């Protein structure tokens, strides 16, 4: 353990702690020396680096050094325990992510606290990131983060970043119930905070609903992100009796009708329009999603005008003489 030295009380005396590059001056020799000798001995010790006064490990170690310096001169012979950890009954060495504060010490490459994990940094910036299909574990975490951010400050906006295939995988297999998406949607509607949504990859099915349900005027999409709406799928029935299959099919139809109504509400389209485009998977790039009403703005710095002037795929096909066959 490369620890330089510790304070020995208000008198300002210092005692070296065993480590690399530290003087071999013992505590007993230091106490027997005269006043001038102590000054010369202290002058030969390396300077004490700045310490975090709130660090529980260093605070405990300093108090032990001030009260019983002899304890620190005998390092534990147990090689399984790092030096000085045997002084603590219940050591608390690392701060929780919520306790970590932004500090210039990270930029100085001298962190005084352990660096936090990335999800906690995002949460500290009031960002909730959905980067997986909507399965129960993801839904539980997202709702908990939304409620936590409202409790922290009910007036500050919350940023919901979405890169999710909804309740299905990218190959179309169902991995979660449609109620997973409805649960997050209901939580968003109940919060007092303004929720701004951003599509950073894919927003498919229920994830597209979450994207469209953000604050009007504050729904964004990256230029190369994709959105897609489709009908809910019937989960695998296995050896289920025919009557149970019918019950499940009716529930899927009810979920489809609910999804159509909510998308029509947030995109300002009629339920007939949304229902018609949802008969087959309806993919939207950033421009088409903006036209359909899923988003309000494309997050492409300085390129929105260029994208607005670009021809749509249908116009390109028309000018090239390509005819679209009905039913394809």
């Amino acid at each position: 353990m490369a620890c330089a030295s510790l304070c020995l009380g208000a008198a300002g005396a210092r005692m070296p702690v065993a480590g690399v590059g530290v003087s071999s001056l013992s505590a007993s020799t230091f106490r027997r020396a005269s006043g001038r000798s102590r000054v010369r001995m202290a002058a030969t010790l390396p300077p004490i680096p700045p310490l975090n006064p709130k660090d529980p490990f260093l605070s405990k170690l300093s108090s032990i050094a001030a009260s019983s310096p002899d304890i620190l001169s005998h390092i534990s012979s147990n090689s399984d325990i790092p030096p000085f950890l045997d002084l603590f009954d219940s050591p608390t060495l690392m701060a929780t992510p919520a306790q970590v504060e932004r500090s210039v010490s990270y930029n100085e490459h001298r962190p005084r606290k352990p660096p936090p994990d990335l999800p906690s940094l995002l949460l500290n910036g009031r960002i909730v990131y959905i980067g997986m299909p909507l399965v129960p574990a993801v839904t539980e975490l997202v709702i908990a983060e939304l409620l936590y951010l409202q409790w922290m400050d009910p007036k500050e906006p919350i940023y919901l970043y979405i890169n999710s295939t909804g309740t299905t995988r990218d190959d179309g297999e169902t991995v979660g119930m449609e109620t997973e998406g409805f649960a997050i949607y209901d939580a968003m509607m109940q919060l007092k905070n303004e929720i701004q949504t951003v599509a950073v990859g894919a927003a498919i099915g229920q994830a597209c609903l979450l994207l469209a349900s953000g604050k009007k005027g504050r729904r964004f999409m990256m230029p190369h992100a994709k959105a897609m709406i489709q009908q809910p799928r019937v989960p695998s029935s296995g050896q289920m009796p025919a009557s149970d299959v019918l019950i499940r099919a009716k529930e899927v139809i009810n979920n489809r009708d609910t999804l159509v109504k909510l998308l029509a509400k947030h995109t300002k389209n009629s339920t007939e329009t949304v229902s018609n485009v949802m008969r087959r998977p309806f993919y939207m790039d950033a421009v088409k999603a903006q036209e359909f009403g899923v988003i309000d703005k494309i997050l492409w710095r300085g390129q929105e005008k260029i994208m607005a002037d670009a021809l749509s795929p249908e116009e390109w096909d028309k000018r090239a003489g390509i005819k679209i066959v009905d039913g394809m």
Side-chain angles (χ1 to χ4, degrees), residues 83 181 266 321:
H266 292 285

Side-chain angles (χ1 to χ4, degrees), residues 152-166:
M152 288 292 294
D153 193 336
K155 297 182 180 179
E156 287 294 320
I158 298 174
Y159 307 94
L160 185 64
Y161 285 27
I162 302 173
N163 181 21
S164 173
T165 56

Side-chain angles (χ1 to χ4, degrees), residues 1-8 14-25 45-46 61 65 69 72-75 83-84:
M1 180 177 180
C3 181
S5 57
L6 295 170
C7 294
L8 295 179
R14 298 180 176 180
M15 190 198 90
V17 178
V20 179
V22 179
S23 172
S24 60
L25 180 64
L45 297 177
L61 205 59
L72 299 180
S73 61
H74 300 86
I75 300 179
F84 305 130

Side-chain angles (χ1 to χ4, degrees), residues 50 52 55 103-116:
N52 181 6
D55 190 299
S103 172
V104 294
S105 62
Y106 290 111
N107 297 331
E108 296 171 356
H109 307 287
R110 294 177 56 191
R112 296 188 179 95
K113 293 183 179 180

Side-chain angles (χ1 to χ4, degrees), residues 177-203:
M177 299 180 63
E178 298 297 315
T179 51
E180 304 295 338
F182 294 145
I184 299 177
Y185 172 83
D186 290 339
M188 293 171 61
M189 296 298 103
Q190 293 298 323
L191 293 183
K192 300 177 182 179
N193 304 73
E194 170 188 300
I195 299 181
Q196 304 181 15
T197 54
V198 182
V200 296

Side-chain angles (χ1 to χ4, degrees), residues 239-311:
Q239 302 298 323
M240 190 177 297
S243 58
D244 293 353
V245 173
L246 179 59
I247 294 174
R248 180 167 292 190
K250 290 181 178 179
E251 179 62 21
V252 172
I253 293 176
N254 291 335
N255 290 334
R256 180 202 62 187
D257 294 341
T258 302
L259 182 61
V260 168
K261 292 178 182 178
L262 294 178
L263 283 172
K265 171 185 175 182
H266 292 285
T267 60
K268 304 302 180 183
N269 292 304
S270 63
T271 55
E272 292 77 11
T273 300
V274 177
S275 180
N276 289 335
V277 299
M278 279 182 57
R279 290 179 178 177
R280 304 298 299 169
F282 182 61
Y283 285 89
M284 296 171 282
D285 58 12
V287 176
K288 187 176 293 186
Q290 188 176 20
E291 295 174 352
F292 194 75
V294 175
I295 63 170
D296 304 302
K297 186 177 181 181
I298 304 171
L299 290 178
W300 194 343
R301 296 180 180 176
Q303 300 296 321
E304 290 189 81
K305 186 178 184 302
I306 298 177
M307 294 182 66
D309 296 339
L311 297 177

Side-chain angles (χ1 to χ4, degrees), residues 37-205:
S37 300
R38 290 186 181 182
V39 173
R40 288 195 299 268
M41 292 177 183
T44 60
L45 297 177
I48 298 178
L51 303 177
N52 181 6
K54 297 181 180 180
D55 190 299
F57 177 81
L58 296 180
S59 300
K60 179 68 174 179
L61 205 59
S62 298
S63 61
I64 294 177
S67 59
S68 304
D70 292 335
I71 298 179
L72 299 180
S73 61
H74 300 86
I75 300 179
S76 174
S77 59
N78 188 355
S79 59
D80 296 334
I81 301 177
F84 305 130
L85 288 189
D86 55 338
L87 303 176
F88 300 86
D89 296 329
S90 300
T92 305
L93 303 182
M94 295 187 67
T96 60
Q99 295 174 337
V100 177
E101 303 172 354
R102 294 182 178 180
S103 172
V104 294
S105 62
Y106 290 111
N107 297 331
E108 296 171 356
H109 307 287
R110 294 177 56 191
R112 296 188 179 95
K113 293 183 179 180
D117 56 287
L118 291 180
S120 296
L121 281 178
L122 292 177
L123 195 62
N124 185 57
R126 303 189 66 80
I127 296 174
V128 176
Y129 180 64
I130 304 178
M132 295 181 63
L134 300 180
V135 295
V138 175
T139 301
E140 177 185 0
L141 178 61
V142 170
I143 294 178
E145 290 182 341
L146 291 174
L147 295 176
Y148 170 76
L149 291 176
Q150 179 187 238
W151 175 76
M152 288 292 294
D153 193 336
K155 297 182 180 179
E156 287 294 320
I158 298 174
Y159 307 94
L160 185 64
Y161 285 27
I162 302 173
N163 181 21
S164 173
T165 56
T167 55
T168 61
R169 295 193 313 192
D170 52 357
D171 59 357
E173 181 180 352
T174 301
V175 294
M177 299 180 63
E178 298 297 315
T179 51
E180 304 295 338
F182 294 145
I184 299 177
Y185 172 83
D186 290 339
M188 293 171 61
M189 296 298 103
Q190 293 298 323
L191 293 183
K192 300 177 182 179
N193 304 73
E194 170 188 300
I195 299 181
Q196 304 181 15
T197 54
V198 182
V200 296
I204 297 176

